[in-house]
């Protein structure tokens, strides 16, 4: 006769795990319910042929040459482009070799991949403030600049953007949105409340609801304030590089990663599904950025660390088309919001290039969109970001932000060469972009659909601020506040509201509203 086991009391760890799962489920359900009010539910799709899943095996690496320092490699100490290239390669290799598993093609139930937010550890403690040229806390734009503004419209805009205040309920150091360094951010487009998604260098995704408030403290001075509720999930095997939100389905969130995959999270179902990966499960194609056009919401565009840009229709398995557009890493790219046939790429080869997707020609490896024009910088270009007004903003390791004016882009005919005079930047802003290896690369990110009609973008500031600039190069604000102890390097504007978020090297979140 089997021995009857007495029920045991639930451990504190198990109780905490169940509480986390319940809190995560409640947050995603709340986001899903709110999102439905903004974007109507899409009609039921027609049944599609079931795609065969691929069984993925561990890739056996061939022997690699030992990496050398720049001095032993014979690289000039002043050659910042090559030094940065070595840093990028070293960071990617570290991410690649430290991953405990390769990407998975299986659907992931979010309840099974929860990351305990209270066990996060800081990976960069004690290293802030050592970067070349950084002066933590020293402002490069202040109230005096606003007072001295003579243009009434610009002054009003500066006053409004500078009045944004740091989220009051928890200090930035208490909002640990990811376990490791934040590499990608994204605001859900709903306007009812700020919902921030973050991805870190190890493939963890964090979600923070900016409408939650800290409970009032009781009479016990020693009582700890409860931590904010943060949903965290292990969705990728390596660095998450981008978030894109569907233009037609408010419950869909796309993410890309160095693990060579693109996944779609369904907020309503609580499931993360791989929707793209190379045909060969052993192929390594680290994805550096992701974008989708509002006019074609089923077609994804992505860039890779080997200099390619790909196009993939999620409705058609095996529809991948890959174009080699650079001999070196493409770190960032974007589609023109109103002219989505225009693609801008930023590369380690020091160029920003404009491509026309209406005219794709050539065969095999030589097939690519028409190159309309390019502009070179002294050092590598980190990102190229289009505004709805037709301005293109880039950040570069030559310590500049450049703004190009392509307001007449809608009149360009397919494959038309851009006049060289137009390819010169209309505005050049001096900006310290020397992040080094421990701070995520600074990239400008435009507000996509500003309610006030003013085109503006956010970018991290090495002095521990987030800078806001207008399309004419005017600085509108320098957002800071008490308790910011690291560079909020990954900065984003909400698509339409005056909300700004910044993520840092310790996985902490700053939020201004």
């Amino acid at each position: 006769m089997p021995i009857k086991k007495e029920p045991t009391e639930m451990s504190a760890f198990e109780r905490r795990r169940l509480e986390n799962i319940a809190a995560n489920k409640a947050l995603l359900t709340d986001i899903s319910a709110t999102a439905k009010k903004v974007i109507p539910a899409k009609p039921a799709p027609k049944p599609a042929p079931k795609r065969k899943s691929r069984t993925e095996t561990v890739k056996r690496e061939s022997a690699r040459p030992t990496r050398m320092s720049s001095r032993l490699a014979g690289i000039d100490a002043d050659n910042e482009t090559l030094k940065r290239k070595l840093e990028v390669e070293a960071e990617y290799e570290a991410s690649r070799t430290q991953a405990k598993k390769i990407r998975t093609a299986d659907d992931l139930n979010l309840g099974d991949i929860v990351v305990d937010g209270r066990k996060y550890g800081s990976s960069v403690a004690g290293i802030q403030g050592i970067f070349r040229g950084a002066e933590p806390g020293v402002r490069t734009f202040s109230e005096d600049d606003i007072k001295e503004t003579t243009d009434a419209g610009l002054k009003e805009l500066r006053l409004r953007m500078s009045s944004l205040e740091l989220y009051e309920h928890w200090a930035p150091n208490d909002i640990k949105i990811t376990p490791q360094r934040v590499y990608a951010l994204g605001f859900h487009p709903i306007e009812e409340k700020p919902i921030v998604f973050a991805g870190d260098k190890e493939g963890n995704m964090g979600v923070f609801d900016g409408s939650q408030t800290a409970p009032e403290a009781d009479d016990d001075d020693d009582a700890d304030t409860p931590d904010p509720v943060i949903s965290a999930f292990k969705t990728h095997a390596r660095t998450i590089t981008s978030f894109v939100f569907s233009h037609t389905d408010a419950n869909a969130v796309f993410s890309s990663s160095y693990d060579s995959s693109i996944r779609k999270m369904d907020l309503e179902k609580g499931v993360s599904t791989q929707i793209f990966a190379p045909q060969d499960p052993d192929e390594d194609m680290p994805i550096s950025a992701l974008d989708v056009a509002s006019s074609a919401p089923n077609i994804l565009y992505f860039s890779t660390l080997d200099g390619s840009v790909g196009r993939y229709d999620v409705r058609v398995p095996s529809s991948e088309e890959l174009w080699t557009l650079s001999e070196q890493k493409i770190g960032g790219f974007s589609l023109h919001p109103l002219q989505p046939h225009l693609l801008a790429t930023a590369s380690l080869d020091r160029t920003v290039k404009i491509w026309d997707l209406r005219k794709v020609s050539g065969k095999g490896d030589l097939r690519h969109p028409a190159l309309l024009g390019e502009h070179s910088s002294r050092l590598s270009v980190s990102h190229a970001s289009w505004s709805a007004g037709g301005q293109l903003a880039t950040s570069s390791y030559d310590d500049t932000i450049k703004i190009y004016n392509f307001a007449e882009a809608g009149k360009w005919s397919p494959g038309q060469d851009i006049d060289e005079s137009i390819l010169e930047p209309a505005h050049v802003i001096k900006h310290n972009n020397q992040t080094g290896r421990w701070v995520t690369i600074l990239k400008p990110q435009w507000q996509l659909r500003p309610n006030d009609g003013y085109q503006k973008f956010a970018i991290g500031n090495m002095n521990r601020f987030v800078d806001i600039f207008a399309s004419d190069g005017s600085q509108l604000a320098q957002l800071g506040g008490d308790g910011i102890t690291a560079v909020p390097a990954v900065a984003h504007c909400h698509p339409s509201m005056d909300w700004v978020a910044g993520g840092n090297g310790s996985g902490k979140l700053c939020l201004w509203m």
Side-chain angles (χ1 to χ4, degrees):
M1 182 176 180
I3 299 174
K4 184 177 180 181
K5 294 184 179 180
E6 295 295 329
T8 58
E9 184 179 355
M10 183 182 297
S11 68
F13 175 83
E14 179 65 14
R15 187 182 302 110
R16 182 54 174 275
R17 187 182 73 85
L18 295 176
E19 289 174 355
N20 282 343
I21 291 174
N24 289 336
K25 185 176 180 180
L27 175 58
L28 293 180
T29 301
D30 185 43
I31 297 173
S32 175
T34 305
K36 284 182 178 179
K37 301 176 183 178
V38 184
I39 303 178
K42 61 181 180 180
K46 296 180 181 180
K50 187 174 181 181
R51 188 176 181 180
K52 295 181 180 179
S53 62
R54 294 187 296 268
T55 303
E56 302 199 17
T57 56
V58 177
K59 180 180 179 182
R60 297 185 182 277
E61 298 293 335
S62 58
R64 293 176 178 268
T66 303
R67 293 187 176 275
M68 298 185 295
S69 69
S70 57
R71 177 182 62 82
L72 294 178
I75 297 175
D76 191 327
D78 293 329
N79 193 327
E80 294 293 336
T81 300
L82 292 181
K83 286 169 66 179
R84 180 57 190 162
K85 181 178 180 181
L86 289 180
E87 290 173 353
V88 170
E89 290 178 347
E91 179 175 350
Y92 171 63
E93 286 298 327
S95 167
R96 195 167 180 271
T97 56
Q98 290 172 6
K100 298 191 176 171
K101 63 176 182 178
I102 62 174
R103 63 180 183 270
T104 174
D106 298 331
D107 289 356
L108 300 174
N109 187 310
L110 302 187
D112 299 331
I113 55 173
V114 174
V115 178
D116 186 350
R118 309 309 180 270
K119 298 182 181 297
Y120 292 170
S122 172
S123 60
V124 291
I127 66 167
Q128 300 299 334
I130 64 173
F131 309 105
R132 177 160 61 90
E135 298 179 275
V138 177
R139 287 187 173 273
T140 55
F141 181 81
S142 67
E143 292 182 359
D144 290 338
D145 295 289
I146 300 175
K147 292 177 181 178
E148 295 171 2
T149 305
T150 57
D151 183 282
L154 177 59
K155 187 171 185 177
E156 188 279 330
L157 186 56
R158 282 177 164 174
L159 285 169
R160 179 161 57 82
M161 295 305 299
S162 295
S163 68
L164 299 183
E165 296 183 353
L166 198 61
Y167 182 75
E168 62 180 347
H169 299 290
W170 282 277
N173 278 343
D174 294 327
I175 310 175
K176 190 160 178 62
I177 194 168
T178 56
Q180 300 297 328
R181 172 158 61 95
V182 174
Y183 203 92
L185 273 184
F187 268 105
H188 195 286
I190 59 173
E191 298 183 347
E192 282 74 12
K193 56 184 178 180
I195 304 294
V196 183
F197 287 71
D200 74 7
K201 63 178 295 184
E202 292 186 352
N204 300 294
M205 175 190 295
V207 186
F208 176 71
D209 178 356
S211 69
Q212 60 181 296
T213 59
E216 294 184 4
D218 54 28
D219 296 333
D220 184 2
D221 294 336
D222 295 330
D224 293 330
T225 302
D227 294 321
V229 175
I230 297 173
S231 298
F233 312 97
K234 179 70 171 177
T235 55
H236 287 277
R238 300 179 197 158
T239 304
I240 295 176
T241 54
S242 291
F243 289 103
V244 168
F245 299 88
S246 171
H247 298 284
T248 56
D249 181 0
N251 284 309
V253 182
F254 299 98
S255 58
S256 61
S257 171
Y258 281 172
D259 68 9
S260 309
S261 74
I262 299 172
R263 300 190 71 91
K264 174 185 174 182
M265 175 183 282
D266 189 313
L267 300 177
E268 185 174 32
K269 296 179 180 178
V271 174
S272 172
T273 302
Q274 178 177 289
I275 59 173
F276 171 78
Q279 293 288 318
D280 181 355
D282 287 340
E283 182 180 354
D284 199 28
M285 190 175 69
I287 298 174
S288 59
L290 178 68
D291 204 356
V292 61
S294 59
S295 59
N298 293 306
I299 300 178
L300 303 176
Y301 293 84
F302 58 91
S303 59
T304 73
L305 292 187
D306 66 1
S308 299
V309 167
R311 178 167 62 185
Y312 180 74
D313 190 330
V314 298
R315 301 164 298 183
V316 185
S318 306
S319 64
E320 169 196 343
E321 187 170 9
L322 203 62
W323 310 304
T324 300
L325 303 184
S326 173
E327 293 182 357
Q328 298 184 17
K329 168 191 173 184
I330 293 178
F333 82 99
S334 66
L335 301 170
H336 191 305
L338 301 183
Q339 310 293 333
H341 55 272
L342 295 177
L343 170 77
T345 59
S347 174
L348 197 65
D349 67 7
R350 304 180 301 138
T351 66
V352 57
K353 297 176 181 177
I354 313 296
W355 308 86
D356 193 336
L357 298 173
R358 295 173 298 181
K359 189 176 181 180
V360 180
S361 58
K363 294 182 179 180
D365 293 340
L366 299 180
R367 181 173 172 79
H368 59 76
L371 177 60
L372 305 184
E374 64 180 273
H375 183 263
S376 297
S377 294
R378 186 172 60 85
L379 296 175
S380 63
V381 184
S382 303
H383 187 49
S385 180
W386 282 105
S387 75
Q391 292 81 26
L392 185 70
T394 66
S395 54
S396 171
Y397 264 81
D398 63 7
D399 286 339
T400 66
I401 299 169
K402 301 180 182 70
I403 302 176
Y404 303 80
N405 187 8
F406 300 130
E408 300 297 315
K411 299 179 181 178
W412 295 345
S413 58
Q416 172 188 335
D417 289 339
I418 303 176
D419 186 270
E420 289 187 5
S421 61
I422 301 177
L423 283 168
E424 289 296 320
H427 310 283
V428 178
I429 305 166
K430 292 295 183 181
H431 196 267
N432 179 9
N433 297 327
Q434 302 300 317
T435 54
R437 287 187 58 186
W438 303 108
V439 174
T440 303
I441 296 171
L442 305 183
K443 298 181 178 182
Q445 301 287 351
W446 291 93
Q447 187 176 30
L448 296 179
R449 299 178 298 277
N451 283 337
D452 61 9
Y454 289 100
Q455 304 297 333
K456 47 189 173 294
F457 65 84
I459 187 171
N461 181 300
M462 289 299 292
N463 290 1
R464 300 180 185 172
F465 300 101
V466 167
D467 292 328
I468 309 295
F469 290 96
S471 58
D472 65 357
S474 302
Q475 183 152 6
L476 302 180
Q478 191 163 81
L479 304 177
D482 295 334
I484 300 178
T485 59
V487 180
V490 186
H492 272 252
C493 296
H494 183 274
S496 55
M497 305 293 287
D498 286 342
W499 300 332
V500 178
N504 69 27
S506 298
K508 309 294 181 61
L509 177 71
C510 301
L511 177 63
W512 292 270
M513 302 165 61

